[in-house]
Amino acid sequence: YPNPFNPITNINFALPIESDLSLEVYNLQGRMVEVLANGNMQAGYHSVVWNADSHSSGVYFVKMIAGEYVSTQKLMLVK
């Protein structure tokens, strides 16, 4: 939240168990534009802030991989 955002948004998620986490942002062409988190995270609720000041307006995708779990969320940056 918020979504759409300008230029900062929070990405909230919960991990039921400690696991390796990868949280990456992709543009519409499928190119990775930013890595928000990469490594081992404890179980519990987490929040990651993405400051998209250096990126242009448009649609982005946040991909989270935690163990066997994979999730993709669409974000819209409006400047």
Side-chain angles (χ1 to χ4, degrees):
Y1 71 91
N3 189 19
F5 68 100
N6 175 26
I8 297 173
T9 189
N10 294 310
I11 300 162
N12 300 314
F13 57 94
L15 296 174
I17 58 171
E18 180 180 345
S19 60
D20 285 330
L21 176 87
S22 172
L23 192 62
E24 301 168 336
V25 180
Y26 293 86
N27 63 14
L28 276 177
Q29 290 78 32
R31 294 188 188 105
M32 184 174 52
V33 295
E34 194 143 351
V35 175
L36 300 177
N38 192 10
N40 196 12
M41 284 195 132
Q42 299 293 323
Y45 294 95
H46 302 277
S47 180
V48 175
V49 176
W50 180 35
N51 186 343
D53 232 356
S54 61
H55 301 286
S56 59
S57 296
V59 176
Y60 292 88
F61 296 95
V62 177
K63 182 178 180 183
M64 180 175 89
I65 302 172
E68 300 292 318
Y69 178 77
V70 178
S71 174
T72 304
Q73 180 181 1
K74 182 169 63 169
L75 298 176
M76 185 176 294
L77 172 59
V78 179
K79 287 191 174 181

